[in-house]
Amino acid sequence: MITLFINEISGTLKKNKEWQNLLQQYCTTSGTPLNLSGPKGAYLAAVVADLFKYTKDSLLIVTPTERDAEELQADLSLFVDDSILFPWWGTMLYKGISAQASIFGSRVKSLMDISECKTIVIASQKAALSYLPPKEYLLSKKLTLKKGDEFDPVKLEDVLQEYGYSRVPRVTVSGEFALRGEVLDIYMPGMSEAVRIVFDFDEIEEIKLFDPISQSSTTPGEQITLYPVKEVIWTDDRIEILEKNLNEISHGKIDEVDFAPMLETLKISREIRGEELFFPLSFENPSTLIDYISEKSALFLVAKERLDTSYEVLYKEYKELYVEALRQKIAVPSPEYLSLIHI
């Protein structure tokens, strides 16, 4: 039934003159950013899926809101096997509320996947404009383990704890790992199943996925790639760059905020409430989502008029929230250091 529906829409598109003109423009010129206005719901998803066939690499779609992005991904599931939703933090800036741990993990998993395959990436305007760690930094944190590899469980335990994983007797939620005898279980964020690594002294014998609830194994594998639970790991060098940048942006300002207590807490505990606000300033040159896709990728803007209106709303929202944070003497960086939405 679904196949008939998809074929019907595809056939209708091919007969549409506006579609033919759009496709010719897209295929004969650089064609992006391409503004998509008019199609909605499953029709928009059908247009995107068909254009993806002619895209040389990934396709980045920017929607006005997070809800638009979620709905588009749901509609796209009718036409393509995989697409990646890059989520916003899910919180309001400067309110002192940290994002949920699952959001941290979903963002890392999404960025890893976006970096390594041709795919359709969907992001709200807020998420697409936010600053991110450089792609090279995040990819340097990948750790691939294969069957037959030499294995040092003590060393890997240190790496996992540095990456933000918590050691527990038995994994039940993402961000945990358990080491029992010659079995290491890791529940990585963004995955529906956990990973079990069975080793014999210093060699990996088995790698398989398992259900963390029933503990029953599902799929055997030849290798697994590990990654951190969040996109920035607060190592000494990251904190050093953050401190340097905070000193530079606050020096000499009338509304200077004291970041010293926050930095001291970060040096001790390696995490702070609302730490995502400081991720971009822990790098000399942060990136954006578009830096995670290749130059051959395409950029689609959905409903440009709504995007323009949404930008103005975000601009006003960020400005008001930042001014209120300063009034309350909350140590936070201004919006220009968080995203491309400048006040």
Side-chain angles (χ1 to χ4, degrees), residues 68-83:
D68 291 327
E70 293 169 353
E71 291 178 349
L72 178 55
Q73 187 187 38
D75 290 331
L76 270 172
S77 65
L78 294 172
F79 303 95
V80 297
D81 293 332
D82 295 298
S83 62

Side-chain angles (χ1 to χ4, degrees), residues 181-223:
E182 296 183 336
V183 176
L184 173 65
D185 293 341
I186 309 169
Y187 197 170
M188 291 187 289
M191 293 187 64
S192 58
E193 296 177 301
V195 179
R196 176 160 291 160
I197 300 172
V198 181
F199 56 95
D200 183 17
F201 294 103
D202 61 351
E203 183 176 313
I204 296 176
E205 286 193 335
E206 285 184 272
I207 297 176
K208 50 191 175 183
L209 300 179
F210 72 96
D211 184 329
I213 297 177
S214 67
Q215 296 288 303
S216 59
S217 299
T218 56
T219 309
E222 294 296 316
Q223 67 178 46

Side-chain angles (χ1 to χ4, degrees), residues 251-270:
H251 182 67
K253 290 188 177 181
I254 296 176
D255 55 4
E256 183 176 343
V257 176
D258 184 10
F259 291 104
M262 178 276 297
L263 287 167
E264 189 61 31
T265 301
L266 189 58
K267 290 175 183 178
I268 296 171
S269 64
R270 303 292 162 158

Side-chain angles (χ1 to χ4, degrees), residues 78-301:
L78 294 172
F79 303 95
V80 297
D81 293 332
D82 295 298
S83 62
I84 298 173
L85 175 65
F86 181 68
W88 169 246
W89 291 110
T91 58
M92 188 173 288
L93 289 181
Y94 305 127
K95 286 295 185 179
I97 303 174
S98 292
Q100 295 180 357
S102 60
I103 296 294
F104 280 92
S106 295
R107 285 170 61 93
V108 173
K109 179 69 164 59
S110 295
L111 290 174
M112 289 291 188
D113 292 342
I114 292 167
S115 301
E116 298 180 331
C117 63
K118 176 183 177 181
T119 187
I120 298 176
V121 184
I122 311 158
S124 67
Q125 180 173 232
K126 189 184 290 189
L129 293 178
S130 61
Y131 286 134
L132 301 170
K135 177 180 177 180
E136 297 74 19
Y137 167 80
L138 204 56
L139 291 182
S140 72
K141 299 300 179 182
K142 287 196 317 178
L143 179 59
T144 300
L145 303 176
K146 301 178 182 179
K147 284 178 62 176
D149 280 354
E150 291 186 3
F151 186 73
D152 184 342
V154 176
K155 183 177 180 180
L156 183 56
E157 179 180 358
D158 291 340
V159 171
L160 289 172
Q161 289 181 333
E162 179 184 314
Y163 279 12
Y165 289 85
S166 300
R167 181 169 181 174
V168 294
R170 170 175 165 171
V171 299
T172 56
V173 298
S174 63
E176 295 180 338
F177 77 96
L179 181 59
R180 304 183 308 277
E182 296 183 336
V183 176
L184 173 65
D185 293 341
I186 309 169
Y187 197 170
M188 291 187 289
M191 293 187 64
S192 58
E193 296 177 301
V195 179
R196 176 160 291 160
I197 300 172
V198 181
F199 56 95
D200 183 17
F201 294 103
D202 61 351
E203 183 176 313
I204 296 176
E205 286 193 335
E206 285 184 272
I207 297 176
K208 50 191 175 183
L209 300 179
F210 72 96
D211 184 329
I213 297 177
S214 67
Q215 296 288 303
S216 59
S217 299
T218 56
T219 309
E222 294 296 316
Q223 67 178 46
I224 192 70
T225 298
L226 308 180
Y227 48 84
V229 300
K230 53 189 178 182
E231 56 211 70
V232 173
I233 303 301
W234 290 116
T235 52
D236 290 342
D237 56 336
R238 295 272 69 82
I239 297 175
E240 183 179 342
I241 293 175
L242 172 64
E243 185 170 16
K244 170 179 170 291
N245 287 333
L246 288 176
N247 287 335
E248 289 179 356
I249 66 176
S250 62
H251 182 67
K253 290 188 177 181
I254 296 176
D255 55 4
E256 183 176 343
V257 176
D258 184 10
F259 291 104
M262 178 276 297
L263 287 167
E264 189 61 31
T265 301
L266 189 58
K267 290 175 183 178
I268 296 171
S269 64
R270 303 292 162 158
E271 62 180 0
I272 52 171
R273 192 176 183 181
E275 63 187 277
E276 62 273 14
L277 293 177
F278 298 93
F279 282 174
L281 283 166
S282 65
F283 300 92
E284 296 291 358
N285 297 295
S287 298
T288 60
L289 190 56
I290 202 165
D291 295 312
Y292 279 77
I293 58 178
S294 77
E295 295 180 353
K296 296 180 181 180
S297 299
L299 171 63
F300 288 4
L301 305 178

